Amino acid sequence: MVMNEIVKELGFKLSNSDIELFESKFCLKLPETIVDFYLKWNGGELKNKFKYIDPDSSSGVYPIFTIMPLKNPIDPDSDSVSSNMRLFRSIDESYMDYIPITFDLFDNYIAASLKDGKIYWMDHEEPDNLILFADNIFSFIDSLVKESPEELDQ
């Protein structure tokens, strides 16, 4: 799928200085693929109902509704990576090596590794329970499956 068929832009772009300010504020360095994504898209709502299906698990279906913007200059208190960082990092010390990009229907985070940009599902009740979803944010979004009309009626 093409990115603009999946993600509806939020209407505000980030600059390199926005990225640098975010990195400085949280004392981290974003992987190149994450920087590329946020400079182009800054997150966004998904145009339809999508889900991620874990190919290694028969029960691994994760509804996804949005990719959080890095920051929302119009409404700083809205869901964004910036507004979620302190809570996210307080869950477990191991979360310091990740940034949240979205969450599933059950408030588990989907996060990007700061080491290599890989995308993981992270259980909010069992922080050591990580599932690799994709090698980068672009392949994660490409792997989302549009829910069928029958599923939407349930």
Side-chain angles (χ1 to χ4, degrees):
M1 270 193 239
V2 178
M3 188 75 67
N4 62 5
E5 292 176 2
I6 300 172
V7 178
K8 176 184 172 189
E9 290 186 67
L10 297 176
F12 39 87
K13 298 284 187 187
L14 295 178
S15 66
N16 284 319
S17 59
D18 290 321
I19 299 287
E20 290 167 6
L21 184 64
F22 177 86
E23 290 176 329
S24 175
K25 179 178 180 178
F26 294 106
C27 301
L28 55 81
K29 179 75 174 142
L30 295 171
E32 188 175 321
T33 55
I34 297 297
V35 170
D36 291 347
F37 175 80
Y38 278 108
L39 285 175
K40 174 136 178 79
W41 295 94
N42 190 25
E45 295 177 12
L46 301 184
K47 291 184 176 180
N48 293 292
K49 295 203 184 268
F50 284 91
K51 61 189 174 189
Y52 175 83
I53 300 174
D54 184 352
D56 298 327
S57 167
S58 61
S59 62
V61 177
Y62 306 86
I64 307 293
F65 305 106
T66 185
I67 304 295
M68 289 188 288
L70 199 63
K71 78 172 202 177
N72 183 336
I74 297 167
D75 184 5
D77 294 326
S78 69
D79 263 342
S80 70
V81 176
S82 289
S83 68
N84 275 273
M85 281 298 286
R86 284 186 180 76
L87 171 63
F88 178 75
R89 286 181 159 186
S90 71
I91 294 171
D92 190 79
E93 187 176 301
S94 66
Y95 280 26
M96 297 294 282
D97 295 329
Y98 301 86
I99 64 159
I101 59 167
T102 190
F103 39 86
D104 69 12
L105 192 59
F106 308 103
D107 291 331
N108 297 301
Y109 280 103
I110 295 159
S113 166
L114 293 173
K115 293 177 185 172
D116 55 17
K118 290 184 178 184
I119 306 300
Y120 292 88
W121 174 85
M122 305 177 89
D123 188 326
H124 71 278
E125 293 176 353
E126 296 179 40
D128 292 334
N129 186 7
L130 303 177
I131 298 172
L132 176 65
F133 272 8
D135 286 335
N136 61 62
I137 192 166
F138 295 105
S139 60
F140 168 69
I141 292 171
D142 284 344
S143 70
L144 295 177
V145 176
K146 186 176 177 181
E147 291 190 357
S148 68
E150 297 81 32
E151 290 174 307
L152 296 175
D153 291 337
Q154 294 180 8

